[in-house]
């Protein structure tokens, strides 16, 4: 089912009008169903069963969560804590490898790994010796012969020459450096002092060790932030010619992340100012040669992310936009998320509980969701909208052997989007217009029957 009759777009609404109509709470759709729908009904037993029948004809992806930071940035939405005790971090590495043993015991056969991602937290809180010990342990347990990518999220302020050298020895190919904003006033408001010279040294040192792709993480919507100082930050960091830039909107959710209460509400830009910041940044980056990727990423034309977008093979997962095509993701470490064709599983989120479970020889799975055929169908629609800003619902339905009219209710919800020229509909094909791209999460939510029920768990669209 599609719109029964053509919808005539209304005269162009102002950005303020559109924000007032569509700036609701909505998921970021890094998965479907979203993590807000995970429940304890999926636990260690079901995770073990899913592992035993996981398809391994393709190489799997590994994600390792490192929940430690030197400092706690007030904007942070990650599962992490500030710590400097090397013994605690070293013992965590031991338990990561122990969890890998538990996972492999349930799988019961050799596992080829195509990519490894270190997230956090701050993975470069690991001592160089612990980093190399971790990768030696992974190489002893998994077949890494086809591993084409090793990536890590890094804090430039914590990076040392010794760590960079160790990264070169383990074969690090891609790194994301946290920048956010270089304005001292904004940095003071979020407890993250950082100098451009530090970021430049980190980029040059990593590239000297063989890094082939550099990503810089930036944010808009931070306290005291303006479009002018965001563009000034971009003017500096683009001189480093990073292959990728991620420009995330700050998600202010102090009811979920209590440390965000340290940020003063009256210093946060309102929705129209956030919108202005994101659009000014996008214009600057595309004007300098970066290709806009989906909602919030940018890549140089030669980068794999841009190539994936051109070929229609761009994907979206918990790390954002990606080229990763692996059907199985194995997450190790506290709060990490795994995926197989059967569903999603998330580990225990409290470090002490995760340590206790792994030490006792138990898979530390805490919650998750089993994938039903209708979930896979809706997830495919949402992923194409998030990645391509277009989807042919009839084609997706045929590919998944589902009736296209099972999402009939979405078309009714989308009538007002068409009237405001945010989308165009031709038969069963939906295209998000240039005007509508900042609101694509709201478009996706029309296909998500659970969106309204979990709205309070998510940040605003704009």
């Amino acid at each position: 089912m599609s719109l029964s009759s053509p919808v005539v777009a209304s005269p162009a609404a102002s950005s303020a009008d559109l924000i007032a109509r569509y700036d609701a709470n909505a998921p970021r759709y890094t998965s479907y169903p979203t993590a807000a729908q995970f429940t304890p009904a999926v636990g260690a037993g079901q995770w073990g069963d899913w592992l035993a029948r996981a398809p391994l004809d393709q190489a799997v992806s590994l994600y390792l969560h490192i929940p430690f930071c030197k400092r706690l940035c007030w904007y942070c939405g990650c599962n992490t804590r500030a710590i400097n005790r090397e013994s605690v971090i070293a013992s965590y590495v031991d338990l990561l490898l122990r969890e890998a043993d538990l996972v492999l015991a349930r799988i019961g056969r050799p596992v080829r790994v195509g990519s490894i991602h270190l997230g956090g937290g701050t993975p470069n809180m690991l001592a160089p010796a612990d980093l190399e010990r971790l990768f030696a342990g992974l190489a002893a347990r998994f077949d890494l012969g086809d591993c084409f990518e090793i990536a890590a999220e890094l804090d430039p302020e914590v990076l040392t020459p010794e760590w960079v050298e160790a990264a070169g020895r383990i074969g690090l190919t891609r790194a994301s450096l946290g920048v956010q904003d270089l304005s001292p006033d904004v940095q003071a408001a979020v407890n993250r002092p950082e100098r451009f010279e530090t970021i430049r040294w980190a980029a040059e040192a990593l590239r000297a060790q063989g890094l082939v792709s550099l990503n810089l993480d930036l944010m808009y919507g931070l306290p005291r932030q303006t479009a002018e100082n965001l563009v000034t930050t971009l003017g500096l960091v683009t001189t480093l010619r990073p292959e990728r830039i991620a420009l995330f909107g700050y998600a202010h959710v102090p009811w979920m992340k209590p440390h965000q209460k340290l940020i003063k509400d009256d210093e946060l830009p309102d929705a129209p100012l956030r919108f202005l910041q994101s659009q000014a940044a996008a214009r600057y980056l595309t004007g300098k040669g970066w290709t806009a990727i989906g909602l919030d990423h940018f890549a140089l034309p030669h980068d794999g992310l841009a190539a994936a977008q051109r070929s229609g093979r761009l994907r979206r997962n918990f790390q954002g936009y990606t080229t990763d095509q692996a059907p199985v993701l194995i997450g190790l470490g506290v709060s990490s998320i795994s995926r197989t064709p059967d569903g999603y599983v998330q580990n225990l989120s409290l470090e002490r509980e995760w340590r206790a479970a792994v030490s006792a020889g138990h898979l530390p799975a805490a919650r998750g969701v089993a994938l039903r055929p209708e979930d896979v169908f809706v997830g495919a629609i949402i992923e194409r909208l998030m990645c391509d800003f277009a989807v042919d619902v009839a084609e997706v339905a045929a590919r998944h052997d589902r009736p296209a009219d099972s999402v009939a209710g979405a078309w009714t919800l989308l009538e007002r989007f068409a009237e405001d020229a945010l989308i165009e509909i031709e038969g069963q094909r939906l295209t998000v217009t240039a005007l509508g791209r900042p609101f694509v999460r709201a478009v996706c939510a029309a296909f998500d029957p659970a969106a309204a029920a979990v709205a309070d768990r998510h940040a605003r669209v704009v």
Side-chain angles (χ1 to χ4, degrees):
M1 179 178 180
S2 58
L3 292 182
S4 57
S5 59
V7 174
V8 179
S10 60
S14 69
S15 60
D17 289 338
L18 294 174
I19 291 168
R21 293 176 202 174
Y22 299 106
D23 186 28
N25 295 70
R28 292 183 184 270
Y29 290 113
T30 52
S31 71
Y32 185 82
T34 70
Q37 295 163 254
F38 293 4
T39 74
V42 172
Q46 193 153 23
W47 178 222
D49 293 341
W50 291 354
L51 285 168
R53 60 174 179 260
L56 299 179
D57 51 318
Q58 291 180 239
V60 310
S61 295
L62 288 182
Y63 172 79
L64 291 84
H65 189 77
I66 312 298
F68 309 114
C69 290
K70 180 180 180 181
R71 57 194 173 180
L72 184 61
C73 304
W74 296 344
Y75 62 79
C76 184
C78 301
N79 187 321
T80 188
R81 63 185 176 115
I83 188 173
N84 283 300
R85 292 172 57 193
E86 291 186 4
S87 61
V88 172
I89 300 173
S91 66
Y92 185 84
V93 170
D94 295 332
L95 289 173
L96 281 175
L97 295 174
R98 174 63 177 139
E99 185 184 356
D101 289 332
L102 296 173
V103 166
L104 289 169
R106 300 311 192 279
I107 293 175
R109 56 203 192 280
V111 178
R112 293 182 300 117
V113 172
S115 66
I116 301 173
H117 188 104
L118 299 180
T122 303
N124 53 311
M125 286 294 290
L126 297 178
D130 285 332
L131 176 68
E132 294 191 78
R133 181 166 63 87
L134 173 60
F135 273 80
L138 294 175
R141 291 163 171 81
F142 297 93
D143 178 357
L144 303 186
D146 296 327
C147 189
F148 64 90
E149 179 177 89
I150 297 175
E153 301 166 12
L154 307 176
D155 181 350
E157 288 289 327
V158 183
L159 201 61
T160 65
E162 294 77 17
W163 203 96
V164 172
E165 291 170 3
R169 289 192 290 270
I170 66 165
L172 188 73
T173 59
R174 186 166 63 84
S176 292
L177 298 180
V179 177
Q180 319 318 338
D181 190 290
L182 292 175
S183 163
D185 196 33
V186 176
Q187 291 179 351
V190 295
N191 192 41
R192 190 185 174 92
E194 189 165 54
R195 298 180 306 124
F196 173 65
E197 290 74 15
T198 302
I199 297 163
R200 180 169 55 195
W201 171 84
E204 293 173 351
L206 288 164
R207 281 178 165 150
Q209 287 293 330
L211 194 77
V212 297
S213 181
L214 175 69
N215 175 76
L216 300 181
D217 284 342
L218 287 91
M219 276 188 167
Y220 66 89
L222 292 170
R224 306 180 193 171
Q225 194 176 37
T226 66
E228 290 77 14
N229 59 36
L230 177 56
V231 170
T232 297
T233 292
L234 290 172
L236 287 169
V237 300
T238 51
T239 63
L240 304 176
R241 301 298 291 173
E243 282 72 20
R244 303 178 187 180
I245 292 176
L247 179 66
F248 299 115
Y250 166 58
H252 191 57
V253 287
W255 59 92
M256 294 178 62
K257 297 294 179 180
H259 58 266
Q260 290 187 351
K261 294 177 183 177
L262 296 167
I263 290 177
K264 298 177 181 178
D265 289 353
D266 61 1
E267 292 185 341
L268 289 169
D270 60 16
L273 288 176
R274 285 171 60 96
F275 184 83
L276 178 64
Q277 290 173 14
S278 68
Q279 298 306 295
R283 285 194 300 272
Y284 183 89
L285 288 170
T286 54
K288 291 292 185 179
W290 277 264
T291 300
I293 306 291
L295 180 64
D296 48 22
H297 283 50
F298 300 83
L300 290 175
H302 69 266
D303 185 76
L305 209 59
Q309 182 185 61
R310 290 192 297 269
S311 65
R313 301 181 75 247
L314 188 66
R315 302 297 305 274
R316 187 160 173 83
N317 65 16
F318 288 99
Q319 278 72 58
Y321 290 102
T322 180
T323 60
D324 189 358
Q325 304 291 322
V328 175
L329 167 69
I330 296 174
L332 303 175
V334 62
S335 77
S336 65
I337 296 176
S338 301
R339 181 196 70 239
T340 79
D342 284 308
Y344 293 95
V345 175
Q346 184 170 29
N347 276 354
L348 290 159
S349 294
L350 292 178
E351 186 186 335
R352 64 177 181 276
E353 293 181 357
W354 175 84
R355 285 177 178 266
V358 175
S359 297
H362 304 308
L363 287 173
R367 62 193 194 114
V369 62
L371 285 173
R372 304 168 301 170
E374 55 264 40
D375 295 328
V376 178
F377 171 45
V378 171
I381 293 172
I382 289 174
E383 184 174 43
R384 294 312 351 128
L385 284 170
M386 291 296 296
C387 292
D388 303 333
F389 294 113
V391 65
D392 186 327
V393 174
E395 185 277 328
V396 176
R399 184 156 36 90
H400 291 272
D401 195 25
R402 300 292 301 175
D405 62 4
S406 62
V407 292
W411 300 111
T412 301
L413 294 174
L414 289 169
E415 285 186 14
R416 61 177 184 143
F417 289 79
E419 291 168 354
D420 281 333
L422 301 185
I423 62 173
E424 295 174 351
I425 298 174
E426 184 177 353
Q428 293 275 324
R429 182 171 179 81
L430 185 156
T431 302
V432 181
T433 66
L435 183 66
R437 289 186 175 194
F439 305 96
V440 67
R441 289 164 54 203
V443 176
C444 293
F447 290 94
D448 179 359
V454 296
D456 61 349
R457 298 284 306 275
H458 301 289
R460 308 290 288 185
V461 166
V462 174

